[in-house]
Amino acid sequence: MTTAIVIDQRFDLHTWHGHVEHAGRLQAIQRALQTSGLLPSLMQLPIRAATEAELLAVHSSHMLHRVRQLASYGGGQIDSDTYVTADSWDVGLLAAGATIAMVEAIAEGRCHNGFALVRPPGHHATDVRSMGFCLFNNIAIAARVLLDRYDIRRLAIVDFDVHHGNGTQDIFYRDGRVLFCSTHASPLYPGTGAVYETGDPHMANGTTLNVPLPYGTGDEGYDRVFRQVIGPAIHQFQPEILLVSAGFDAHWSDPIGPMALSVHGFARLVQHLLTWAQTLCNGRIGFVLEGGYNIAALTASVIATLRLMLGMDPGPDPLGKMNAPEPNIDRIITTLHTQHPLLIQAGYQGVA
Ligand SMILES: [Zn+2]
């Protein structure tokens, strides 16, 4: 079992004083990697900048022009949440290119699984708009490379960031080759991700699966959603490779997320994903970093994920659990079982 990572100090050049999405996030992960003892077991892949053609497979030329122009002026705000520095165009190309490098290594069998430790995040960036701290949609750009250049006919993207992955959903909403599954807090930024958004009814019916969850959902609720909703959908869809938008801002300590997952709760989700990849995809799974803004929770969750990818136990949970009762999620699960096209096809009747 070979596990690859991509990480690069040049991502630090995209940072903005006082913003929660800052260079310290990856710097802390880099330090945690060094003290974890895992580095000798991990294959670090060389990275390259994505080409403009690779970005244009997903994004409009107008959107790319806007980021490049703002960077050439020395930087500024794309919107109230999303900044560009003088270096952000180059860093954005590197984050997308690093994610491509990881999925190529998986597709070519140079590693079994991988984790792209990249910034800025990507899952809010739509085909036409940078938003929500995201300049380019790293995971969507990498997924398009897999579909266009490798013999991949079906892939699934699971997004467990606390925010809905609206950009990834938009980009693949009419593409029946990509199953997009998102768990997210509702109501929360960006406000999309309702259960009735299930893919274009003519071209991609059932290949979008949204699980909006009430505030305070924690380890038990998320585990249940993965076992009873995401898992059956993925088994029905039969992807050849699994990609994961791994945001860790559903941790209970996150300053901008209202959920209650612990590090060990994330580890349970990751273990499900690894097991499904083993069963359906010959072990092929790639994680891509999205959010996660409590540095201690972020680093512990990334290390736990890498340990599981290497076949180890998840290690300690230094922050522990939040001891609060979880909200009831029966209704959302029943709604999905009875109304989502893929789950109806799966014949999943159990409402345990
Ligand atoms: Zn997020």
Side-chain angles (χ1 to χ4, degrees), residues 65-214:
H65 176 73
R66 198 161 167 229
V67 175
R68 179 150 56 181
Q69 191 176 48
L70 203 51
S72 75
Y73 293 161
Q77 299 275 140
I78 292 247
D79 62 26
S80 59
D81 313 296
T82 314
Y83 64 85
V84 168
T85 70
D87 297 300
S88 292
W89 168 258
D90 293 327
V91 175
L93 294 184
L94 272 181
T99 310
I100 293 170
M102 180 199 56
V103 300
E104 285 184 332
I106 296 170
E108 292 168 9
R110 286 181 278 128
C111 62
H112 295 92
N113 53 36
F115 202 150
L117 296 162
V118 295
R119 290 183 52 253
H123 73 149
H124 293 306
T126 74
D127 48 347
V128 294
R129 190 175 161 208
S130 302
M131 59 183 277
F133 316 166
C134 304
L135 299 182
F136 310 131
N137 196 315
N138 304 315
I139 202 166
I141 292 164
R144 275 302 295 267
V145 167
L146 287 174
L147 295 166
D148 293 347
R149 286 192 218 145
Y150 293 85
D151 191 25
I152 303 284
R153 288 158 298 173
R154 284 182 314 284
L155 67 87
I157 299 175
V158 176
D159 184 330
F160 60 68
D161 189 279
V162 78
H163 304 97
H164 178 234
N166 63 297
T168 314
Q169 170 172 308
D170 280 9
I171 288 162
F172 295 116
Y173 205 70
R174 291 174 185 78
D175 191 335
R177 298 172 297 175
V178 177
L179 171 64
F180 175 68
C181 302
S182 176
T183 54
H184 44 273
S186 176
L188 192 68
Y189 182 91
T192 48
V195 287
Y196 59 79
E197 296 164 18
T198 58
D200 182 275
H202 304 296
M203 300 165 77
N205 192 30
T207 61
T208 295
L209 171 59
N210 283 310
V211 190
L213 292 166

Side-chain angles (χ1 to χ4, degrees), residues 206 209 228-234 236 333 335-349:
L209 171 59
Q228 297 183 355
V229 175
I230 311 281
I234 285 178
Q236 182 66 22
I333 289 184
T335 303
L336 284 161
H337 284 167
T338 53
Q339 295 183 22
H340 192 277
L342 209 55
L343 293 170
I344 292 170
Q345 281 170 33
Y348 196 83
Q349 305 296 334

Side-chain angles (χ1 to χ4, degrees), residues 213-233:
L213 292 166
Y215 286 16
T217 303
D219 295 357
E220 298 312 316
Y222 269 92
D223 183 64
R224 186 174 164 209
V225 167
F226 269 56
R227 284 186 289 107
Q228 297 183 355
V229 175
I230 311 281

